[in-house]
mmCIF file of all heavy atoms in Angstrom:
data_model
loop_
_atom_site.group_PDB
_atom_site.id
_atom_site.type_symbol
_atom_site.label_atom_id
_atom_site.label_comp_id
_atom_site.label_asym_id
_atom_site.label_seq_id
_atom_site.Cartn_x
_atom_site.Cartn_y
_atom_site.Cartn_z
ATOM 1 N N ILE V 30 71.126 115.097 73.231
ATOM 2 C CA ILE V 30 71.263 116.557 73.138
ATOM 3 C C ILE V 30 70.672 117.180 74.404
ATOM 4 O O ILE V 30 69.555 116.858 74.786
ATOM 5 C CB ILE V 30 70.522 117.110 71.905
ATOM 6 C CG1 ILE V 30 71.133 116.529 70.615
ATOM 7 C CG2 ILE V 30 70.568 118.624 71.867
ATOM 8 C CD1 ILE V 30 70.375 116.936 69.355
ATOM 9 N N PRO V 31 71.414 118.084 75.064
ATOM 10 C CA PRO V 31 70.855 118.749 76.247
ATOM 11 C C PRO V 31 69.551 119.474 75.905
ATOM 12 O O PRO V 31 69.363 119.949 74.794
ATOM 13 C CB PRO V 31 71.961 119.732 76.639
ATOM 14 C CG PRO V 31 73.213 119.135 76.064
ATOM 15 C CD PRO V 31 72.796 118.489 74.791
ATOM 16 N N ARG V 32 68.682 119.597 76.892
ATOM 17 C CA ARG V 32 67.399 120.268 76.680
ATOM 18 C C ARG V 32 67.600 121.722 76.253
ATOM 19 O O ARG V 32 66.753 122.295 75.559
ATOM 20 C CB ARG V 32 66.554 120.184 77.944
ATOM 21 C CG ARG V 32 66.107 118.762 78.265
ATOM 22 C CD ARG V 32 65.161 118.710 79.448
ATOM 23 N NE ARG V 32 64.752 117.349 79.724
ATOM 24 C CZ ARG V 32 63.732 116.734 79.130
ATOM 25 N NH1 ARG V 32 63.033 117.371 78.202
ATOM 26 N NH2 ARG V 32 63.419 115.497 79.454
ATOM 27 N N THR V 33 68.716 122.315 76.651
ATOM 28 C CA THR V 33 69.028 123.681 76.252
ATOM 29 C C THR V 33 69.019 123.849 74.752
ATOM 30 O O THR V 33 68.682 124.916 74.224
ATOM 31 C CB THR V 33 70.418 124.099 76.793
ATOM 32 O OG1 THR V 33 70.458 123.838 78.188
ATOM 33 C CG2 THR V 33 70.709 125.556 76.529
ATOM 34 N N TYR V 34 69.406 122.784 74.041
ATOM 35 C CA TYR V 34 69.478 122.819 72.581
ATOM 36 C C TYR V 34 68.338 122.046 71.923
ATOM 37 O O TYR V 34 68.439 121.624 70.773
ATOM 38 C CB TYR V 34 70.821 122.249 72.109
ATOM 39 C CG TYR V 34 72.021 122.988 72.650
ATOM 40 C CD1 TYR V 34 72.905 122.375 73.534
ATOM 41 C CD2 TYR V 34 72.287 124.314 72.276
ATOM 42 C CE1 TYR V 34 74.008 123.039 74.029
ATOM 43 C CE2 TYR V 34 73.389 124.979 72.774
ATOM 44 C CZ TYR V 34 74.249 124.350 73.656
ATOM 45 O OH TYR V 34 75.349 125.021 74.145
ATOM 46 N N GLY V 35 67.256 121.817 72.648
ATOM 47 C CA GLY V 35 66.090 121.182 72.061
ATOM 48 C C GLY V 35 66.062 119.666 72.115
ATOM 49 O O GLY V 35 65.198 119.041 71.512
ATOM 50 N N GLY V 36 67.009 119.061 72.839
ATOM 51 C CA GLY V 36 67.063 117.613 72.918
ATOM 52 C C GLY V 36 66.372 117.056 74.134
ATOM 53 O O GLY V 36 65.627 117.762 74.822
ATOM 54 N N GLN V 37 66.651 115.780 74.416
ATOM 55 C CA GLN V 37 65.999 115.099 75.529
ATOM 56 C C GLN V 37 66.862 115.011 76.786
ATOM 57 O O GLN V 37 66.371 114.666 77.853
ATOM 58 C CB GLN V 37 65.619 113.672 75.110
ATOM 59 C CG GLN V 37 64.667 113.631 73.902
ATOM 60 C CD GLN V 37 63.355 114.289 74.205
ATOM 61 O OE1 GLN V 37 62.741 114.051 75.244
ATOM 62 N NE2 GLN V 37 62.894 115.146 73.294
ATOM 63 N N GLY V 38 68.167 115.286 76.638
ATOM 64 C CA GLY V 38 69.051 115.255 77.803
ATOM 65 C C GLY V 38 69.172 113.885 78.433
ATOM 66 O O GLY V 38 69.345 113.763 79.652
ATOM 67 N N ARG V 39 69.140 112.841 77.612
ATOM 68 C CA ARG V 39 69.214 111.487 78.145
ATOM 69 C C ARG V 39 70.596 110.889 77.887
ATOM 70 O O ARG V 39 71.446 111.499 77.248
ATOM 71 C CB ARG V 39 68.103 110.628 77.546
ATOM 72 C CG ARG V 39 66.738 111.240 77.776
ATOM 73 C CD ARG V 39 65.592 110.404 77.272
ATOM 74 N NE ARG V 39 65.304 109.283 78.165
ATOM 75 C CZ ARG V 39 64.160 108.615 78.148
ATOM 76 N NH1 ARG V 39 63.194 108.960 77.289
ATOM 77 N NH2 ARG V 39 63.950 107.597 78.955
ATOM 78 N N SER V 40 70.823 109.688 78.387
ATOM 79 C CA SER V 40 72.149 109.090 78.343
ATOM 80 C C SER V 40 72.408 108.377 77.015
ATOM 81 O O SER V 40 71.485 108.075 76.248
ATOM 82 C CB SER V 40 72.311 108.089 79.482
ATOM 83 O OG SER V 40 71.503 106.936 79.249
ATOM 84 N N HIS V 41 73.701 108.077 76.782
ATOM 85 C CA HIS V 41 74.080 107.304 75.592
ATOM 86 C C HIS V 41 73.484 105.906 75.644
ATOM 87 O O HIS V 41 73.123 105.337 74.604
ATOM 88 C CB HIS V 41 75.597 107.217 75.475
ATOM 89 C CG HIS V 41 76.256 108.474 74.990
ATOM 90 N ND1 HIS V 41 76.169 108.892 73.685
ATOM 91 C CD2 HIS V 41 76.986 109.412 75.650
ATOM 92 C CE1 HIS V 41 76.835 110.037 73.549
ATOM 93 N NE2 HIS V 41 77.327 110.369 74.724
ATOM 94 N N LEU V 42 73.382 105.338 76.853
ATOM 95 C CA LEU V 42 72.827 103.997 76.966
ATOM 96 C C LEU V 42 71.327 103.981 76.662
ATOM 97 O O LEU V 42 70.819 103.017 76.083
ATOM 98 C CB LEU V 42 73.082 103.446 78.374
ATOM 99 C CG LEU V 42 74.515 102.965 78.628
ATOM 100 C CD1 LEU V 42 74.715 102.584 80.078
ATOM 101 C CD2 LEU V 42 74.855 101.778 77.725
ATOM 102 N N GLU V 43 70.624 105.031 77.038
ATOM 103 C CA GLU V 43 69.210 105.120 76.693
ATOM 104 C C GLU V 43 69.043 105.238 75.178
ATOM 105 O O GLU V 43 68.182 104.598 74.575
ATOM 106 C CB GLU V 43 68.561 106.294 77.410
ATOM 107 C CG GLU V 43 68.401 106.081 78.902
ATOM 108 C CD GLU V 43 67.882 107.305 79.601
ATOM 109 O OE1 GLU V 43 68.606 108.339 79.606
ATOM 110 O OE2 GLU V 43 66.765 107.268 80.146
ATOM 111 N N ARG V 44 69.876 106.078 74.555
ATOM 112 C CA ARG V 44 69.827 106.191 73.103
ATOM 113 C C ARG V 44 70.178 104.846 72.458
ATOM 114 O O ARG V 44 69.568 104.439 71.471
ATOM 115 C CB ARG V 44 70.791 107.274 72.607
ATOM 116 C CG ARG V 44 70.756 107.420 71.099
ATOM 117 C CD ARG V 44 71.829 108.362 70.562
ATOM 118 N NE ARG V 44 71.769 108.338 69.106
ATOM 119 C CZ ARG V 44 72.370 107.435 68.330
ATOM 120 N NH1 ARG V 44 73.102 106.471 68.881
ATOM 121 N NH2 ARG V 44 72.252 107.480 67.012
ATOM 122 N N PHE V 45 71.164 104.159 73.004
ATOM 123 C CA PHE V 45 71.568 102.857 72.496
ATOM 124 C C PHE V 45 70.385 101.896 72.499
ATOM 125 O O PHE V 45 70.154 101.169 71.519
ATOM 126 C CB PHE V 45 72.712 102.313 73.345
ATOM 127 C CG PHE V 45 73.234 100.964 72.909
ATOM 128 C CD1 PHE V 45 74.292 100.877 72.027
ATOM 129 C CD2 PHE V 45 72.664 99.803 73.391
ATOM 130 C CE1 PHE V 45 74.784 99.638 71.618
ATOM 131 C CE2 PHE V 45 73.137 98.559 72.990
ATOM 132 C CZ PHE V 45 74.203 98.476 72.108
ATOM 133 N N ALA V 46 69.640 101.867 73.591
ATOM 134 C CA ALA V 46 68.496 100.971 73.692
ATOM 135 C C ALA V 46 67.462 101.273 72.613
ATOM 136 O O ALA V 46 66.908 100.357 71.983
ATOM 137 C CB ALA V 46 67.863 101.084 75.080
ATOM 138 N N VAL V 47 67.196 102.550 72.378
ATOM 139 C CA VAL V 47 66.205 102.946 71.371
ATOM 140 C C VAL V 47 66.671 102.555 69.969
ATOM 141 O O VAL V 47 65.937 101.957 69.187
ATOM 142 C CB VAL V 47 65.925 104.455 71.440
ATOM 143 C CG1 VAL V 47 65.103 104.914 70.236
ATOM 144 C CG2 VAL V 47 65.200 104.791 72.731
ATOM 145 N N THR V 48 67.929 102.887 69.651
ATOM 146 C CA THR V 48 68.411 102.596 68.299
ATOM 147 C C THR V 48 68.507 101.095 68.060
ATOM 148 O O THR V 48 68.255 100.625 66.936
ATOM 149 C CB THR V 48 69.793 103.253 68.057
ATOM 150 O OG1 THR V 48 70.721 102.813 69.066
ATOM 151 C CG2 THR V 48 69.694 104.760 68.113
ATOM 152 N N GLU V 49 68.843 100.342 69.077
ATOM 153 C CA GLU V 49 68.914 98.893 68.918
ATOM 154 C C GLU V 49 67.537 98.317 68.579
ATOM 155 O O GLU V 49 67.401 97.444 67.714
ATOM 156 C CB GLU V 49 69.475 98.258 70.192
ATOM 157 C CG GLU V 49 70.058 96.882 69.967
ATOM 158 C CD GLU V 49 70.785 96.358 71.181
ATOM 159 O OE1 GLU V 49 70.247 96.488 72.303
ATOM 160 O OE2 GLU V 49 71.893 95.795 71.019
ATOM 161 N N GLU V 50 66.502 98.806 69.249
ATOM 162 C CA GLU V 50 65.150 98.337 68.973
ATOM 163 C C GLU V 50 64.704 98.728 67.562
ATOM 164 O O GLU V 50 64.065 97.929 66.856
ATOM 165 C CB GLU V 50 64.173 98.897 70.011
ATOM 166 C CG GLU V 50 64.357 98.348 71.407
ATOM 167 C CD GLU V 50 64.149 96.832 71.477
ATOM 168 O OE1 GLU V 50 63.283 96.311 70.730
ATOM 169 O OE2 GLU V 50 64.853 96.177 72.273
ATOM 170 N N LEU V 51 65.042 99.926 67.143
ATOM 171 C CA LEU V 51 64.682 100.364 65.790
ATOM 172 C C LEU V 51 65.365 99.513 64.740
ATOM 173 O O LEU V 51 64.760 99.121 63.738
ATOM 174 C CB LEU V 51 65.064 101.842 65.601
ATOM 175 C CG LEU V 51 64.281 102.861 66.445
ATOM 176 C CD1 LEU V 51 64.903 104.247 66.313
ATOM 177 C CD2 LEU V 51 62.820 102.904 66.013
ATOM 178 N N LEU V 52 66.620 99.205 64.954
ATOM 179 C CA LEU V 52 67.367 98.385 64.001
ATOM 180 C C LEU V 52 66.851 96.950 63.983
ATOM 181 O O LEU V 52 66.714 96.343 62.919
ATOM 182 C CB LEU V 52 68.860 98.393 64.356
ATOM 183 C CG LEU V 52 69.580 99.720 64.147
ATOM 184 C CD1 LEU V 52 70.918 99.712 64.883
ATOM 185 C CD2 LEU V 52 69.800 99.988 62.677
ATOM 186 N N ALA V 53 66.558 96.400 65.171
ATOM 187 C CA ALA V 53 66.056 95.030 65.249
ATOM 188 C C ALA V 53 64.717 94.894 64.517
ATOM 189 O O ALA V 53 64.394 93.841 63.984
ATOM 190 C CB ALA V 53 65.897 94.601 66.699
ATOM 191 N N ALA V 54 63.966 95.992 64.469
ATOM 192 C CA ALA V 54 62.672 95.991 63.787
ATOM 193 C C ALA V 54 62.799 96.266 62.292
ATOM 194 O O ALA V 54 61.810 96.152 61.564
ATOM 195 C CB ALA V 54 61.749 97.029 64.415
ATOM 196 N N GLY V 55 63.980 96.639 61.840
ATOM 197 C CA GLY V 55 64.160 96.974 60.421
ATOM 198 C C GLY V 55 63.446 98.252 60.042
ATOM 199 O O GLY V 55 62.953 98.401 58.916
ATOM 200 N N ALA V 56 63.390 99.207 60.960
ATOM 201 C CA ALA V 56 62.666 100.463 60.725
ATOM 202 C C ALA V 56 63.474 101.409 59.834
ATOM 203 O O ALA V 56 64.711 101.394 59.852
ATOM 204 C CB ALA V 56 62.377 101.145 62.053
ATOM 205 N N PRO V 57 62.788 102.253 59.037
ATOM 206 C CA PRO V 57 63.473 103.162 58.091
ATOM 207 C C PRO V 57 64.012 104.399 58.777
ATOM 208 O O PRO V 57 63.334 105.412 58.921
ATOM 209 C CB PRO V 57 62.345 103.516 57.096
ATOM 210 C CG PRO V 57 61.106 103.474 57.939
ATOM 211 C CD PRO V 57 61.316 102.368 58.936
ATOM 212 N N VAL V 58 65.276 104.350 59.182
ATOM 213 C CA VAL V 58 65.858 105.428 59.989
ATOM 214 C C VAL V 58 67.001 106.167 59.283
ATOM 215 O O VAL V 58 67.714 106.958 59.903
ATOM 216 C CB VAL V 58 66.373 104.867 61.333
ATOM 217 C CG1 VAL V 58 65.209 104.376 62.184
ATOM 218 C CG2 VAL V 58 67.372 103.722 61.102
ATOM 219 N N ALA V 59 67.156 105.944 57.970
ATOM 220 C CA ALA V 59 68.312 106.504 57.256
ATOM 221 C C ALA V 59 68.335 108.021 57.222
ATOM 222 O O ALA V 59 69.404 108.633 57.229
ATOM 223 C CB ALA V 59 68.356 105.960 55.828
ATOM 224 N N ALA V 60 67.165 108.656 57.162
ATOM 225 C CA ALA V 60 67.132 110.111 57.000
ATOM 226 C C ALA V 60 67.902 110.833 58.093
ATOM 227 O O ALA V 60 68.698 111.726 57.831
ATOM 228 C CB ALA V 60 65.681 110.599 56.948
ATOM 229 N N HIS V 61 67.689 110.426 59.323
ATOM 230 C CA HIS V 61 68.308 111.136 60.457
ATOM 231 C C HIS V 61 69.533 110.420 61.008
ATOM 232 O O HIS V 61 70.180 110.938 61.927
ATOM 233 C CB HIS V 61 67.291 111.274 61.596
ATOM 234 C CG HIS V 61 66.866 109.945 62.163
ATOM 235 N ND1 HIS V 61 65.763 109.250 61.686
ATOM 236 C CD2 HIS V 61 67.396 109.157 63.135
ATOM 237 C CE1 HIS V 61 65.633 108.125 62.369
ATOM 238 N NE2 HIS V 61 66.618 108.031 63.236
ATOM 239 N N TRP V 62 69.868 109.248 60.475
ATOM 240 C CA TRP V 62 70.832 108.371 61.142
ATOM 241 C C TRP V 62 72.197 109.033 61.365
ATOM 242 O O TRP V 62 72.716 109.041 62.478
ATOM 243 C CB TRP V 62 71.000 107.087 60.360
ATOM 244 C CG TRP V 62 71.711 106.021 61.153
ATOM 245 C CD1 TRP V 62 73.006 105.646 61.074
ATOM 246 C CD2 TRP V 62 71.128 105.245 62.219
ATOM 247 N NE1 TRP V 62 73.278 104.665 62.002
ATOM 248 C CE2 TRP V 62 72.133 104.420 62.709
ATOM 249 C CE3 TRP V 62 69.841 105.190 62.777
ATOM 250 C CZ2 TRP V 62 71.907 103.518 63.758
ATOM 251 C CZ3 TRP V 62 69.624 104.288 63.812
ATOM 252 C CH2 TRP V 62 70.653 103.467 64.287
ATOM 253 N N ILE V 63 72.788 109.575 60.310
ATOM 254 C CA ILE V 63 74.124 110.134 60.447
ATOM 255 C C ILE V 63 74.113 111.363 61.359
ATOM 256 O O ILE V 63 74.985 111.538 62.210
ATOM 257 C CB ILE V 63 74.697 110.489 59.065
ATOM 258 C CG1 ILE V 63 74.990 109.208 58.292
ATOM 259 C CG2 ILE V 63 75.980 111.336 59.192
ATOM 260 C CD1 ILE V 63 75.414 109.432 56.850
ATOM 261 N N ALA V 64 73.100 112.205 61.201
ATOM 262 C CA ALA V 64 73.014 113.398 62.033
ATOM 263 C C ALA V 64 72.905 113.026 63.503
ATOM 264 O O ALA V 64 73.597 113.592 64.360
ATOM 265 C CB ALA V 64 71.813 114.248 61.616
ATOM 266 N N ASP V 65 72.034 112.078 63.813
ATOM 267 C CA ASP V 65 71.783 111.711 65.201
ATOM 268 C C ASP V 65 72.929 110.902 65.799
ATOM 269 O O ASP V 65 73.284 111.070 66.960
ATOM 270 C CB ASP V 65 70.480 110.921 65.285
ATOM 271 C CG ASP V 65 69.989 110.742 66.710
ATOM 272 O OD1 ASP V 65 69.660 111.771 67.331
ATOM 273 O OD2 ASP V 65 69.941 109.602 67.205
ATOM 274 N N ARG V 66 73.513 110.025 64.992
ATOM 275 C CA ARG V 66 74.582 109.141 65.481
ATOM 276 C C ARG V 66 75.908 109.867 65.635
ATOM 277 O O ARG V 66 76.603 109.720 66.643
ATOM 278 C CB ARG V 66 74.761 107.973 64.510
ATOM 279 C CG ARG V 66 75.951 107.085 64.854
ATOM 280 C CD ARG V 66 76.253 106.122 63.718
ATOM 281 N NE ARG V 66 76.842 106.786 62.553
ATOM 282 C CZ ARG V 66 77.097 106.157 61.401
ATOM 283 N NH1 ARG V 66 76.799 104.884 61.259
ATOM 284 N NH2 ARG V 66 77.641 106.822 60.383
ATOM 285 N N GLN V 67 76.281 110.661 64.636
ATOM 286 C CA GLN V 67 77.655 111.137 64.526
ATOM 287 C C GLN V 67 77.792 112.646 64.650
ATOM 288 O O GLN V 67 78.717 113.143 65.294
ATOM 289 C CB GLN V 67 78.194 110.687 63.173
ATOM 290 C CG GLN V 67 79.695 110.593 63.078
ATOM 291 C CD GLN V 67 80.095 109.703 61.909
ATOM 292 O OE1 GLN V 67 79.287 108.945 61.386
ATOM 293 N NE2 GLN V 67 81.346 109.788 61.504
ATOM 294 N N ILE V 68 76.877 113.366 64.035
ATOM 295 C CA ILE V 68 77.004 114.817 64.023
ATOM 296 C C ILE V 68 76.666 115.406 65.381
ATOM 297 O O ILE V 68 77.312 116.350 65.836
ATOM 298 C CB ILE V 68 76.109 115.437 62.923
ATOM 299 C CG1 ILE V 68 76.443 114.809 61.559
ATOM 300 C CG2 ILE V 68 76.301 116.955 62.879
ATOM 301 C CD1 ILE V 68 77.889 114.931 61.148
ATOM 302 N N VAL V 69 75.664 114.854 66.041
ATOM 303 C CA VAL V 69 75.279 115.359 67.370
ATOM 304 C C VAL V 69 76.447 115.330 68.357
ATOM 305 O O VAL V 69 76.807 116.360 68.939
ATOM 306 C CB VAL V 69 74.055 114.603 67.917
ATOM 307 C CG1 VAL V 69 73.925 114.815 69.433
ATOM 308 C CG2 VAL V 69 72.793 115.068 67.221
ATOM 309 N N PRO V 70 77.087 114.170 68.598
ATOM 310 C CA PRO V 70 78.204 114.166 69.551
ATOM 311 C C PRO V 70 79.380 115.016 69.090
ATOM 312 O O PRO V 70 80.082 115.611 69.915
ATOM 313 C CB PRO V 70 78.594 112.684 69.663
ATOM 314 C CG PRO V 70 78.024 112.031 68.454
ATOM 315 C CD PRO V 70 76.791 112.802 68.116
ATOM 316 N N ALA V 71 79.578 115.102 67.769
ATOM 317 C CA ALA V 71 80.667 115.929 67.254
ATOM 318 C C ALA V 71 80.393 117.406 67.535
ATOM 319 O O ALA V 71 81.292 118.145 67.967
ATOM 320 C CB ALA V 71 80.853 115.703 65.757
#
């Protein structure tokens, strides 16, 4: 999400790296998952 809208303004690959690490760790990410994964780019 651009900083204009309260986000970090980072790349899809950076987000990919973060989400991959969270998933590999089995971290509880369901609350925000759909919003962050799908609704944001939409």
Side-chain angles (χ1 to χ4, degrees):
I30 298 175
R32 293 185 180 274
T33 307
Y34 301 114
Q37 301 298 313
R39 304 183 77 162
S40 70
H41 284 287
L42 284 174
E43 289 175 295
R44 180 187 176 276
F45 180 92
V47 170
T48 56
E49 201 172 45
E50 292 299 325
L51 294 172
L52 291 164
V58 294
H61 64 269
W62 194 259
I63 291 174
D65 192 65
R66 173 192 72 186
Q67 203 160 344
I68 305 303
V69 163

